[in-house]
Amino acid sequence: MSPPQWVKDLKPAPPQGSDLIQAEREKSKLSVDKLSNFLFTKQVIERQERILKILQSEKVFDKSQNYFDGRIDKFKTALARAKRLRQLQVKHNWSRDEYMCANDLVSEPGPYGLHASMYLTTLRDQGTPEQHKLFLQPAENYRAIGCYAQTELGHGSNVRGLETTATWNPEDKTFILHSPHLTASKWWIGSLGRTANHAVVMAQLVIDGKTYGPHPFVCQIRDMKTHEPLEGVHVGDIGPKFGYNSMDNGFLLLNKVKIPHINMLAKFSSVDPESNKYVKPSSPSLVYGTLTWVRSTIVLQSGGVLARGVTIAVRYASVRRQFQDRDAPSDADGENQVLNYTMVQFRLLPLLAATFALHFTGKAMMGLYEENQKKMINSDAGKVADTNRGAGPEEIHSGSDLLADLHATSCGLKALSSTTAAEGLEVCRRACGGHGYSSFGGIGAWYADYLPTCSWEGDNFMLSQQVARYLLKSARAVLKGNAPNNDTTKIFTNFLQKQDMGAAHDVLGSDADLVAAFAWRTSFLTFEALKHRDVEKNSWNSLLVDFWRLSTAHSQYLVVKNFYDALQSDSLQYELDSTTIDVLHKLFRLYALNTLEKEASEFYSSSAVTVRQIQLARTKSVMKLLEEIRPHALRLVDAWNFPDWQLDSSLGRKDGKVYEDMFHRASELNPLNGLTIDPYPDSDVLVKKDESERFKSKL
């Protein structure tokens, strides 16, 4: 339905959004380009611009019908886009980073998503050179499409409870994969429903009746030519979901499917085909390497995920006008800019600060993961060298200490960062008022697609137990005097030393003092939990809430510390101007003080701060920081460098033409407006005329 000319001639009531958003940007002198380069590097930004032009020139990536398609059309479109992305990767010889950049710009879960991430990563990190040749090379060339099948209908976070079995058959040197119960069905597996023809199946290894825990096995599930399920395989899509509907999450049942010995990924553990004995890994946690990588990636991405919502909300709040300031002169003209209301600032600006806090934390988290990977790669050669030179036990165990630190850190930060991002997106959506409920706002669908991150790769509440277990173990080691040398044991030691002197931490004069206050709170809660567990002998179950609070406190400390450390870097001083550096320090204090205010009872009960400091944080510091950051808010979100094409949002348009775009989508792109219906209940006719097809883009 094309609107008549008189409709096309209409403009929003003045002032125009484009003028308002330009005036808003002029309130700040912050250098958007310099801050963007500091966050991402100039090379990354130029790469994004180059790849964006390629994608925009391809008709299959037209987003005009994204918000109108049903489940099947949505999946077909996603499959067509996934295929074209792979073709473009080959055509332009894109690196993995370039491919992931293109994927981020498309911004929808695609049918190759789990193949390109978890399947390839698992093969790469847990396969032997022989298995790389057999499985990884075809997968990298998309001759075999895979997924990572771990979660089951009856088990998710409890990996040890998986029901699928892989029984070693010594007679023909094969494994027999089997689903003994309905609840053993693999479930929620991305790319499995209709796309994958292979799967890394996590199954309980059984040798001579004894179970050795979950291990990864490569299993072909569909014919390579017909794409039909193989004998003994029942596989399909699990159906519509709250979001993520462009992805074919699937189920998988296996009925005594035989696979060769080579199909057990054997970099860290294996079955000796001659002796039929199990060769165990140096650390059982090595088997879960893929999960650690995924959790680290979730932390890395969380800042950008939240930043999309904050960008949209801040831009719309800069354009939107509502009511008059109650204290304005009676003859004042016009309505007040929504971003001027302190309640809006109080909701949005701490989230803006959180985007930067999570960004720097994500980079640190991935750095820790990569450091661990390097040690693992060199571990075999290192063991031989250690034996030859008589290395001390502290050197030999340093790798396992780092792995434990990585595992706990990835668990805690995955939980905190994904919760912060998901809950923050909903705050941003609601801050957009009624229009935030429209799909055209761009936040709702993004929120729905991101929300499962709080559950997959470990439920966020469950993961807190992993963090608590690590912290309690570290605290015991400190008390015994045999603790490894890391940041966690250092803050615990410092806490005990000051407690012995009768000292408490109650100084907040500098940024470093804020970091110390968060460290003190974490230490206090750790030793309190240790007392409840070891001295008072409380049951594990009775302490789960304490452990969740402890995990949250420790993770918040890590975020604050990583933000602080990033602001101390040498590159900050020569890449950014003094105005931008000053604003970043204010964002740090806003994030830290806002968090402190929300967790005030724990900071007070631990003697990390005084009641007076909490009151000042609430009534003075936070409110003053909101006022000081507010003029820079628009330029700060601009620095995240989201193209309009990527955001796909009427409310988040960079040029401020919010209402024009929203009306255009509703009146000219909406297929429902192509239906002329019969409205009367006594008529059996539903549709008099159907012109909806002309609205739809063609693949």
Side-chain angles (χ1 to χ4, degrees):
M1 180 180 69
S2 180
Q5 189 60 44
W6 63 268
V7 172
K8 294 180 179 180
D9 292 339
L10 290 174
K11 302 288 184 185
Q16 299 302 307
S18 54
D19 296 332
L20 293 169
I21 210 160
Q22 181 180 344
E24 181 64 28
R25 287 193 174 96
E26 291 174 354
K27 293 177 182 178
S28 170
K29 300 301 181 185
L30 185 145
S31 173
V32 172
D33 290 341
K34 286 184 179 179
L35 183 54
S36 292
N37 290 340
F38 178 72
L39 293 173
F40 308 110
T41 74
K42 186 176 182 181
Q43 291 77 12
V44 169
I45 292 170
E46 290 175 347
R47 178 179 70 198
Q48 177 178 282
E49 292 173 352
R50 170 171 49 83
I51 293 173
L52 178 62
K53 290 179 181 178
I54 295 172
L55 297 179
Q56 287 178 312
S57 68
E58 299 277 341
K59 187 172 179 56
V60 72
F61 298 114
D62 171 38
K63 295 188 177 187
S64 63
Q65 289 298 304
N66 272 16
Y67 296 127
F68 300 107
D69 283 344
R71 174 83 204 284
I72 293 178
D73 284 340
K74 199 176 281 287
F75 175 73
K76 287 180 178 178
T77 300
L79 179 59
R81 289 172 175 171
K83 289 189 172 191
R84 187 56 184 152
L85 269 185
R86 171 57 186 168
Q87 293 164 7
L88 290 172
Q89 181 183 23
V90 174
K91 177 181 178 180
H92 297 287
N93 195 28
W94 284 345
S95 65
R96 183 182 181 279
D97 287 342
E98 288 172 316
Y99 176 81
M100 294 309 296
C101 174
N103 204 55
D104 288 342
L105 288 168
V106 174
S107 293
E108 70 178 7
Y112 292 161
L114 271 289
H115 170 84
S117 57
M118 293 185 71
Y119 185 67
L120 292 180
T121 299
T122 304
L123 295 179
R124 191 177 295 117
D125 291 351
Q126 300 195 43
T128 63
E130 183 182 3
Q131 291 170 326
H132 285 173
K133 185 176 181 180
L134 186 62
F135 302 121
L136 181 59
Q137 289 181 11
E140 287 180 327
N141 293 320
Y142 284 70
R143 299 304 177 200
I145 309 298
C147 61
Y148 182 82
Q150 176 169 291
T151 299
E152 294 178 352
L153 186 58
H155 285 87
S157 298
N158 181 17
V159 180
R160 292 182 181 179
L162 295 178
E163 299 172 31
T164 305
T165 57
T167 304
W168 172 245
N169 183 358
E171 295 178 3
D172 60 4
K173 310 300 180 185
T174 62
F175 295 98
I176 301 172
L177 294 178
H178 186 58
S179 308
H181 313 106
L182 182 65
T183 44
S185 172
K186 296 300 180 182
W187 201 266
W188 287 113
I189 311 305
S191 304
L192 171 65
R194 308 310 302 159
T195 308
N197 47 40
H198 283 73
V200 168
V201 178
M202 288 296 287
Q204 299 283 359
L205 174 62
V206 181
I207 306 174
D208 195 23
K210 182 179 178 181
T211 302
Y212 290 85
H215 288 71
F217 299 85
V218 179
C219 178
Q220 184 179 340
I221 56 175
R222 287 184 170 100
D223 186 272
M224 299 300 284
K225 291 185 177 179
T226 68
H227 202 61
E228 295 294 334
L230 299 179
E231 185 177 352
V233 175
H234 184 54
V235 61
D237 181 84
I238 65 170
K241 299 149 298 208
F242 185 75
Y244 226 74
N245 284 305
S246 53
M247 171 67 80
D248 56 327
N249 295 86
F251 63 80
L252 174 67
L253 283 167
L254 301 166
N255 185 27
K256 298 177 182 177
V257 175
K258 279 193 174 186
I259 58 173
H261 172 266
I262 189 66
N263 285 40
M264 177 182 176
L265 295 181
K267 182 175 182 179
F268 302 119
S269 59
S270 61
V271 174
D272 187 323
E274 302 303 322
S275 66
N276 300 314
K277 299 295 184 182
Y278 177 61
V279 181
K280 65 181 181 180
S282 58
S283 169
S285 299
L286 294 175
V287 178
Y288 305 121
T290 301
L291 283 181
T292 305
W293 175 80
V294 174
R295 288 171 185 155
S296 301
T297 303
I298 288 171
V299 179
L300 180 66
Q301 294 172 341
S302 61
V305 167
L306 178 57
R308 281 181 65 144
V310 175
T311 297
I312 292 168
V314 167
R315 284 179 178 172
Y316 184 45
S318 300
V319 171
R320 187 182 176 207
R321 297 292 195 270
Q322 294 288 303
F323 306 105
Q324 283 190 329
D325 189 330
R326 286 180 177 271
D327 297 320
S330 57
D331 59 348
D333 293 330
E335 295 174 290
N336 196 23
Q337 189 179 11
V338 167
L339 194 55
N340 286 335
Y341 290 109
T342 55
M343 196 63 237
V344 173
Q345 296 171 21
F346 185 72
R347 293 153 73 190
L348 293 181
L349 298 190
L351 291 176
L352 175 58
T355 65
F356 289 89
L358 293 176
H359 173 78
F360 294 124
T361 299
K363 292 177 72 173
M365 177 73 253
M366 195 52 73
L368 183 65
Y369 174 81
E370 291 170 354
E371 180 185 353
N372 180 71
Q373 288 301 105
K374 288 178 182 177
K375 291 201 172 186
M376 287 171 60
I377 290 171
N378 297 325
S379 61
D380 291 337
K383 288 174 188 174
V384 175
D386 288 337
T387 303
N388 291 338
R389 65 184 175 85
E394 70 282 353
E395 293 175 273
I396 294 174
H397 292 300
S398 63
S400 61
D401 292 336
L402 179 62
L403 184 62
D405 192 32
L406 170 67
H407 175 68
T409 302
S410 68
C411 286
L413 287 177
K414 181 268 176 182
L416 178 65
S417 64
S418 60
T419 298
T420 301
E423 293 180 351
L425 286 174
E426 173 61 5
V427 171
C428 291
R429 187 195 65 77
R430 294 175 66 183
C432 293
H435 290 330
Y437 194 65
S438 169
S439 293
F440 303 153
I443 299 178
W446 183 242
Y447 167 72
D449 283 348
Y450 185 74
L451 197 55
T453 310
C454 295
S455 300
W456 65 33
E457 319 314 336
D459 171 81
N460 284 358
F461 289 98
M462 183 283 301
L463 287 177
S464 63
Q465 296 181 60
Q466 304 288 327
V467 183
R469 186 178 290 112
Y470 166 76
L471 293 175
L472 294 186
K473 183 179 179 181
S474 297
R476 293 187 189 106
V478 169
L479 291 173
K480 291 177 182 177
N482 62 353
N485 183 26
N486 59 40
D487 180 71
T488 301
T489 57
K490 285 178 183 176
I491 66 170
F492 287 173
T493 302
N494 179 62
F495 173 80
L496 292 175
Q497 289 173 346
K498 289 191 175 181
Q499 273 210 328
D500 289 342
M501 295 186 295
H505 185 280
D506 58 3
V507 180
L508 294 180
S510 68
D511 290 354
D513 290 332
L514 278 171
V515 178
F518 276 79
W520 185 276
R521 168 191 171 221
T522 295
S523 302
F524 176 85
L525 292 177
T526 300
F527 286 101
E528 282 290 294
L530 188 65
K531 181 179 70 174
H532 295 326
R533 180 64 175 166
D534 290 3
V535 179
E536 299 171 2
K537 304 299 182 182
N538 286 298
S539 68
W540 188 264
N541 186 54
S542 70
L543 296 173
L544 291 183
V545 176
D546 288 346
F547 292 159
W548 170 70
R549 289 173 174 151
L550 172 57
S551 174
T552 301
H554 177 62
S555 301
Q556 287 172 340
Y557 157 69
L558 291 175
V559 173
V560 169
K561 183 179 184 299
N562 284 314
F563 198 172
Y564 173 81
D565 288 346
L567 298 185
Q568 312 311 308
S569 67
D570 294 335
S571 60
L572 181 86
Q573 303 302 322
Y574 66 79
E575 288 187 41
L576 299 177
D577 56 87
S578 59
T579 299
T580 306
I581 293 173
D582 180 61
V583 172
L584 286 176
H585 278 280
K586 288 175 179 175
L587 287 170
F588 164 80
R589 292 189 70 82
L590 176 59
Y591 176 79
L593 289 170
N594 184 67
T595 304
L596 186 153
E597 180 191 345
K598 289 181 176 179
E599 312 287 355
S601 62
E602 290 180 4
F603 279 92
Y604 173 67
S605 62
S606 66
S607 299
V609 297
T610 65
V611 172
R612 177 60 177 160
Q613 287 169 331
I614 294 171
Q615 291 172 332
L616 288 173
R618 174 179 296 126
T619 61
K620 298 291 184 183
S621 300
V622 169
M623 298 310 296
K624 187 172 188 297
L625 286 166
L626 295 179
E627 181 183 352
E628 292 174 343
I629 292 169
R630 183 254 173 274
H632 307 288
L634 188 57
R635 284 180 175 264
L636 285 168
V637 298
D638 286 348
W640 279 92
N641 204 47
F642 292 113
D644 282 343
W645 191 83
Q646 181 180 15
L647 289 179
D648 196 16
S649 166
S650 295
L651 305 184
R653 284 183 64 110
K654 190 173 184 179
D655 62 7
K657 294 183 177 180
V658 169
Y659 302 116
E660 298 96 321
D661 190 82
M662 180 163 278
F663 194 86
H664 166 71
R665 289 174 188 253
S667 68
E668 298 185 49
L669 300 181
N670 185 357
L672 190 61
N673 288 326
L675 295 183
T676 302
I677 62 127
D678 187 317
Y680 301 109
D682 56 355
S683 170
D684 292 333
V685 176
L686 295 178
V687 178
K688 290 177 174 289
K689 185 169 60 174
D690 185 348
E691 297 179 307
S692 59
E693 285 298 319
R694 66 184 181 84
F695 287 84
K696 298 181 180 180
S697 59
K698 304 297 181 183
L699 296 183

